[in-house]
Amino acid sequence: MLSKKQARAFFLGGTTVTFLIFIGLTIFSFGKDQTHKENITESVVRGKHLWETNNCMGCHTILGEGAYYAPELTKVIDRRGEGYIKAVLMTPVSWQPNGRKMVAYGMSEQEAEDMVEFFKWIDGIDLNGFERIVSPLAKDKIDN
Ligand code: HEC
């Protein structure tokens, strides 16, 4: 049984050590360039803007953030390729090969191109080896 004094020392010691580990890991995380920000072109910025103004996150997740109605899109460029994604975004009719509907945005070639550039940039982020994120509810909707 620890005395009150020992318990206090144990608490303070434990708190200090874990706090220092936390600070150390934070410095380590910020020290790495995981975002390859030098590759953010104007097209990537326009794509991000389209992503935000069209409520894509109302249905999709990116980097795990968003809603779970539709597929995770962090690695969509790997999974589907440029042509497929442009077709999904430019088609004038709702894209729904598996029942759930993707909004028919009817984007222009340029807008679809900007979205693709944004997805390429997201794809290039260093995810610490975390290769593929899939929303649990959308998993059955992805066929590969
Ligand atoms: C109303 C919900 C909804 C919104 C909003 C939405 N999507 Fe989708 N999206 C879906 C669904 C559902 C699918 C899956 C269709 C299927 O079954 O293949 C999909 C599929 C996709 C795919 C193909 C993914 C794959 O793995 O096959 C891409 C790319 C995509 N959406 C991009 C976007 C972008 C970019 C936006 C915003 C501009 C957006 N979506 C907004 C519902 C939505």
Side-chain angles (χ1 to χ4, degrees):
M1 185 64 180
L2 295 176
S3 69
K4 220 171 172 180
K5 208 174 159 190
Q6 284 171 322
R8 192 186 151 94
F10 184 70
F11 169 76
L12 289 175
T15 306
T16 310
V17 168
T18 45
F19 182 70
L20 289 177
I21 291 174
F22 175 73
I23 296 291
L25 288 175
T26 305
I27 292 170
F28 175 71
S29 297
F30 280 103
K32 289 204 289 183
D33 178 19
Q34 292 178 280
T35 61
H36 68 112
K37 49 187 175 297
E38 66 281 6
N39 295 329
I40 301 178
T41 58
E42 278 178 21
S43 182
V44 173
V45 173
R46 286 194 301 266
K48 169 93 167 25
H49 186 70
L50 285 168
W51 174 262
E52 282 166 1
T53 50
N54 286 289
N55 190 32
C56 310
M57 270 163 78
C59 294
H60 294 276
T61 47
I62 200 151
L63 298 171
E65 200 183 334
Y68 294 102
Y69 178 70
E72 225 293 335
L73 296 178
T74 310
K75 291 280 169 193
V76 70
I77 198 87
D78 267 3
R79 185 167 74 235
R80 295 302 196 191
E82 197 167 327
Y84 185 103
I85 295 173
K86 283 172 89 170
V88 173
L89 296 172
M90 291 171 69
T91 174
V93 293
S94 289
W95 187 265
Q96 52 170 131
N98 300 299
R100 283 190 252 189
K101 266 191 190 173
M102 157 76 182
V103 181
Y105 286 105
M107 286 189 183
S108 66
E109 175 90 35
Q110 179 66 56
E111 289 171 322
E113 187 63 44
D114 291 341
M115 277 304 334
V116 162
E117 288 305 310
F118 174 65
F119 287 132
K120 281 186 188 164
W121 177 75
I122 287 280
D123 184 69
I125 287 176
D126 174 6
L127 297 176
N128 275 332
F130 196 57
E131 282 304 316
R132 184 160 178 237
I133 314 168
V134 176
S135 335
L137 295 177
K139 209 169 179 171
D140 58 318
K141 299 292 171 200
I142 296 170
D143 54 23
N144 62 349

